[in-house]
Amino acid sequence: MKHIVKTAALAAAVSLAAGAATVASSSDATAAWKPKKPVEFVIMAGKGGGADRLARFIQGIIKKHKLSALPLVPINKGGGSGAEALRYVKDKQGDPHVIMATLNSYYTTPLRNPGLGVDISSFTPIARLAEDTFQLWVHSDTKIMSVKDYVAAVKTAGAKNWRMGGTGKGQEDSLVTAMLEKAYGIKVTYVPFKGGGTVAKQLIGKHIHSTVNNPSEQIGFWKAGKSRPLATFTPKRLKAFPDVPTFGELGQNLSYFMQRSVVAPGGIPADAASYYVDLFDKVYKSEDWQNYLSSKGLLPGWLTGKALQDYFVKEREAHRKLLMAMGEIK
Amino acid sequence: MEILGLLLEGFAVALQPINLALIVAGCIAGLFIGAMPGLGSVNGVAILLPMTFLVPPTSAIIFLGSLYYGAMYGGAISSIMLGIPGASTAVATTFDGRPMALQGKADRALVAAATASFVGGTISVVLFTLFAPPLADFALAFGPPEEFALLLLAFATFIGLGGDDIPKTLFSIFIGLMFSAVGLDIVSGDPRLIFLDLPGFYHGINFLVLAIGIYGIGEILWTVETTRGEMVVSRAAVTIRGVVRALTDLRHNIRSMLMGSFLGYFVGILPAAGATPGSLMAYGVARTMSKHPETYGKGNVDGVVAPESANNAASTGSMLPMLTLGIPGSPTTAILLGGMVIWGLEPGPMLFIEHKEFVWGLIASLYAANLFALLINIAFIPAFLMVLRMPFTILAPVIFILCVVGGYAPTQDMHDVWLMLIFGVMGYLMRKLDYPLAPAVLAIVLGPLAEASVRQSLIMAHGSFGIFFDRPISAIIMAIAIALFAWPVLIAIRRRLRA
Amino acid sequence: MRRAELVMALFMAAFSLYIMWKSTELPVGWIEGEGPGGGAFPFWLAAGMLVCCGWIVLRWARRQSPPSRSDEPYMDKTALRVFAVGAGSLLVMIGLMHIVGVYVVIPLYLIFYMRGIGHHAWSVTAPLAVAMPVATFLFFEIALKITLPKGYTEPAFYPLYELLL
């Protein structure tokens, strides 16, 4: 065993040297509070998914620009559509060394699982970094060029033969699909998959007929001419897709966003909260982040403090209505 | 010949001193992370991803690609030496690797694993170089019905793996599948089987928790008891001649190596499958094809060679859909994909056109990484064997500690450590009563994929099982799987008719 | 051995029933046009477990399986002692991890096992008891950035983070 220990120590020492060389002392002295140990960056989703990628991207920006003296350590707690993460952060009440990256399951999971005992308005809001958008996608081999064609095609095929792929039931994709069905008086067969990336692949492989992917999940295929966006679920057209109309332009006021925010447990010291707001302000203003937003079709949307908490509460109510209309909750 | 030119350019990138240094560093880091029970390539790549922000993208992917490979080599080490699969990709390696170590042939098993990994890795990189784009289209043809058919085939190749006690073997499969259902019901999005309302069950029962519990804690307790705590695991002496002899003896196993390499590669390129089903199927196929299937599980070198060549081949294979389609073929490539986004690259069909130096630099570095991983691995074998010669009263507590820390690391939740202890104790008590436990471990690995794909298929077909037979690829795989299931039954019937 | 075989089968049968009951929180039947409901897989798997347990009991009654024919004790005195020490020490170790953390538990456990069970000299035990937590810390916390549980000893590590991260 000694050899393993020795060699492991050696390997650790080598990486340690590499690590030490990269971590320079932090330059900011604006906030009074500073983390005393590595900060747990809880992710409400599993490894490799969209939320996970984004969180690791943020971690990368922080590391690259040396924004924090001690590292953020991402921990995936994606179980139960984020139920695990929510419960964890709730139990960490008052612990300033935990923050969480959220997505819309931040609203829907507590609504669907009242037994969790999680009230998101008791958490400390840090910052909203972006709003991800949704588009209606079909394969480029089809003759469907517009939402009008789409509605006609779904009606001809019938609900049984038109497969819409998306993430799990009660999650964003299924909510968007329900909105679409209601607005156009159509019915589709909803097939749930594990993540947005898998959904995108199923469309390109023609196992399903349409998706409501985030632009970032389809953009690679779109550039290669394999898929086609029909319309965007936003009030204004996206910079990355200037030719794709919004549903508003087509006469149906459908819009839905996926928020990408960071929150902390409730009851943390005020100066700790302002430390994180400051940290994420720097992330938000970084060139990397702004480039990412514009090239991947996300909308910038900096919000913090009370405005963010009000936004969360408002969105929770909106989602309560959506879920009730779908019959997912009573 | 365009490919050759591109590949040469790739080598010019891969062989730059900094990249070469990163390949070696990646292989060594991967070897240790892979050898640690509980940590595998997924954790290694995820954890070291932010480090790579400090170097150019091509160097970054070269480092992570080497780490991925190194971890695949390393996974075999804990499977063989400790009998604990360090990652799901190395489960099949324990079946024969562990018995070999107990028979004092740990050196041969380690050499066989390293060489097979090298062969699998190299063949798959060659296949990758030659046929990337057409295979990518093939990967797309796999929807949920095809995935399910493939998983059924993986199960079918394992018929007869358990012991002679049929109800106990079945019980083991059922309980493994049942554990894999804990957590989230992916179709309805509802939590499922949250025992005692413990939040730790929301993330399901990680394969590693069961595997480390059963193979780590349960087996060690068993060993301590049966040997009254006085045993030495292996007395294999390490000599250079022994390593050379082990290498030359491998000529008898070339067939299994080739089979494992090709099979692993093709299973690896299928999205959602990845290296674990690949290595399991390779083991099953080697056993089915063998003239002496009864020697498997008792220290047959082919039983180490087949899965090890397959899991390395599959890890290359799973990079193919990642690079050409932007679709991860395994959890590890999902994270690599995230890395590419961080580096500002757009994975997907345009990558081969827009970022030639990146793609070909990576491919060339995989050739180099294979060679380095093999050399480093063989160089470390004597050190690993020294460990095995230590008294058990030193080894046992160290293994227990590694298990506890390794059980904690993937989810960073003490819940999983407790669960692991329960599995370890139950595994020990059941093992004494001849319950075979390997089927439960296999079931928990393949269960979630199987359930999701069958239910997605049925939703697509509105509840009709016809979907598995309407589609050509699915129908063919289904037919093979059913034939494999029926085979032992047919043989038994024929025997009875004759008697 | 014979009694243990029956007890285990009955215990597992009870466990199967519990899972079947637990599975019914979600629909276990066939949902028209959709296939099996969310609880169906665990429910029928648990049912399968139950059938297997019944089969095991049947074979026990007919003395068909080796353990049901064996008159040897399931655990003799030595086995029971070895098992109790092994599993018990793990239980204590994991329990203590919550309170004093990994880095106190590792040396304690090594000392307990190597001195208490293995009777190794301090000259072997002490270096390992020091080296293992140090190597674990460097490997996990510094190289891999995985924080391990430290319980009440956490503040003692703040200066180390300051220094090494």
Side-chain angles (χ1 to χ4, degrees), chain B residues 457-476:
Chain B
S457 305
L458 287 172
I459 291 176
M460 286 169 70
H462 288 269
S464 154
F465 282 96
I467 189 166
F468 298 110
F469 302 95
D470 290 346
R471 302 158 58 112
I473 299 178
S474 164
I476 293 169

Side-chain angles (χ1 to χ4, degrees), chain B residues 92 95 153-162 279-281 283-284 287 442:
Chain B
F95 298 156
L153 184 62
F155 274 115
T157 53
F158 273 88
I159 290 281
L161 183 75
S279 63
L280 292 173
M281 282 170 81
Y283 182 89
R287 187 168 159 281
L442 288 177

Side-chain angles (χ1 to χ4, degrees), chain B residues 343-361:
Chain B
W343 306 322
L345 294 168
E346 190 67 64
M350 303 306 282
L351 192 71
F352 272 74
I353 300 158
E354 286 173 357
H355 298 281
K356 281 201 177 90
E357 77 302 334
F358 175 86
V359 174
W360 290 96

